[in-house]
């Protein structure tokens, strides 16, 4: 029988939350995260941390949760009906960062472990997670750095891992009703149990630990870029796509709401200011149009021979 080391995973997730919050506070230099602990009705709870109105980050949320329930919600059994009716444990760290400067991209990441249990049967477990980047004004070198860091994190686990999880990310973070991707992707994986538990846990740690290396250098490079009200309005318009995805498609949001999780923590991913302009189109040849023409399409960022500008 597989030994599921939930306490070890929980301790790692708490330390990851601490490390990411410390790195973001250092970048912001003005505000720190507020913290609120909460309890889950079925057992367990979480530690929500939010930074708002900072010098660099308009809103950043980094949440830890560890919850238990008597019955897996529908979002968790839709593709695995054989697990319907099982009790569950779910733990993870999930974060969304909405910078103030439109030249700094929004970023999302999460890593998680799910365990489905039934009396008399061996528990079924799997890992999931990843991270993705949502720029408003694109820079090829940032995209290449982001994907190169993701690829480096995956390399110890096999040559096929990065391309497989990059494609999964491109496919997952796609707004079907808009026929466009949310951003430039990264990594996405779910139902990971193809390796022994310890190896899958090592992969979770590789992904989680690489997030700071992937994101912080981009923040440092772009946070001082001058911007106008037009840049800010375009950022807020594109944030609308972020809201649409999270409320319509995102599995984590659906799981949290269906399982009766803490609503404030689940919806901390939403940006503070958003706009929807009816049938808006960017001016041809503008920097806003360039986001659509150059960045909002799948590209092999790691292997492109040179940076185009």
């Amino acid at each position: 029988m597989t030994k599921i080391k939930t306490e070890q995973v929980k301790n790692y997730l708490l330390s990851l939350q601490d490390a990411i919050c410390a790195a973001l506070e250092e970048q912001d230099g003005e505000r720190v995260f507020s913290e609120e602990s909460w309890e889950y009705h079925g057992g367990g709870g979480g530690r929500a941390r939010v930074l708002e109105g900072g010098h660099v980050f308009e809103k950043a949320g980094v949440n830890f949760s560890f919850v238990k329930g008597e019955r897996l919600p529908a979002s968790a059994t839709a593709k695995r009906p054989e697990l319907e009716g099982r009790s569950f444990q779910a733990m993870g760290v999930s974060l969304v960062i909405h910078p103030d400067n439109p030249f700094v991209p929004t970023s999302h990441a999460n890593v998680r472990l799910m365990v489905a249990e039934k009396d008399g049967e061996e528990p079924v477990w799997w890992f999931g997670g990843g991270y993705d980047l949502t720029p408003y004004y694109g820079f090829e070198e940032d995209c290449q750095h982001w994907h190169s860091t993701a690829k480096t994190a995956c390399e110890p686990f096999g040559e096929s891992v990065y391309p497989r999880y990059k494609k999964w990310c491109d496919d997952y973070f796609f707004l079907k009703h808009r026929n466009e991707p949310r951003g430039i992707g990264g990594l996405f994986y779910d139902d990971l149990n193809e390796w022994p538990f310890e190896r899958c846990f090592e992969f979770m740690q590789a992904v989680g630990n690489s997030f700071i290396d992937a994101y912080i250098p981009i923040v440092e490079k772009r946070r001082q870029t001058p911007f106008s009200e037009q840049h800010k309005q375009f950022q807020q318009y594109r944030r609308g796509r972020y809201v649409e995805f999270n409320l319509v498609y995102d599995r984590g949001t659906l799981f949290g709401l269906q399982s009766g999780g803490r609503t404030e923590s689940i919806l901390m991913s939403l940006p503070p200011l958003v706009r929807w302009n009816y049938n808006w189109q960017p001016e041809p040849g503008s920097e806003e149009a360039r986001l659509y023409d150059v960045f909002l399409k799948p590209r092999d960022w790691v292997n492109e021979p040179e940076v185009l500008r």
Side-chain angles (χ1 to χ4, degrees), residues 91-302:
M91 64 186 75
V93 165
S94 180
L95 66 92
V96 177
I97 303 164
H98 294 291
D100 179 61
N101 192 313
F103 290 93
V104 181
T106 283
S107 184
H108 157 262
N110 78 84
V111 286
R112 60 188 180 273
L113 167 65
M114 291 282 299
V115 183
E117 299 172 297
K118 185 177 181 180
D119 289 343
E121 297 187 21
E122 186 171 355
V124 177
W125 56 268
W126 66 95
F127 288 85
Y131 47 66
D132 64 288
L133 197 69
T134 306
Y136 305 100
Y137 292 90
F139 298 89
E140 280 88 349
E141 60 266 37
D142 294 354
C143 300
Q144 290 181 330
H145 164 77
W146 177 260
H147 278 275
S148 293
T149 306
K151 182 175 184 291
T152 298
C154 293
E155 281 176 343
F157 301 87
E159 292 183 3
S160 68
V161 173
Y162 167 73
R164 180 156 46 110
Y165 291 163
K166 176 196 180 296
K167 184 180 186 307
W168 200 346
C169 190
D170 289 338
D171 293 342
Y172 179 72
F173 290 106
F174 188 84
L175 288 87
K176 301 178 184 66
H177 62 284
R178 298 283 189 181
N179 195 33
E180 66 183 43
R182 187 169 82 173
I184 61 102
L187 299 172
F188 180 85
Y189 65 99
D190 204 0
D191 302 318
L192 176 62
N193 59 7
E194 63 188 74
W195 306 314
F197 184 89
E198 286 287 355
R199 188 63 169 165
C200 292
F201 180 30
E202 288 173 4
F203 183 71
M204 168 199 265
Q205 294 172 81
V207 172
N209 294 344
S210 67
F211 173 78
I212 293 173
D213 295 335
Y215 188 57
I216 293 300
I218 298 173
V219 176
E220 290 178 332
K221 186 181 293 186
R222 307 299 170 194
R223 66 184 184 182
Q224 304 278 357
T225 305
F227 63 89
S228 66
E229 180 60 24
Q230 178 181 332
H231 294 133
K232 195 67 180 172
Q233 289 189 10
F234 182 63
Q235 177 200 51
Q236 292 170 359
Y237 173 74
R238 288 298 308 173
R239 281 176 173 176
R241 301 293 204 267
Y242 207 92
V243 173
E244 290 174 21
F245 183 89
N246 276 31
L247 295 183
V248 176
Y249 299 114
D250 187 74
R251 292 183 188 177
T253 301
L254 294 174
F255 177 88
L257 295 175
Q258 290 175 0
S259 61
R262 183 174 183 266
T263 302
E264 284 299 307
S265 298
I266 297 164
L267 297 183
M268 66 87 189
S269 62
L270 303 183
L273 295 173
V274 192
R275 67 171 58 231
W276 280 270
N277 298 337
Y278 179 74
N279 200 29
W280 181 86
Q281 301 293 327
E283 289 290 331
S286 66
E287 282 296 294
E288 290 78 16
R290 188 168 181 267
L291 176 74
Y292 294 86
D293 296 339
V294 176
F295 293 92
L296 294 185
K297 53 186 63 178
R299 286 173 59 177
D300 186 4
W301 291 106
V302 170

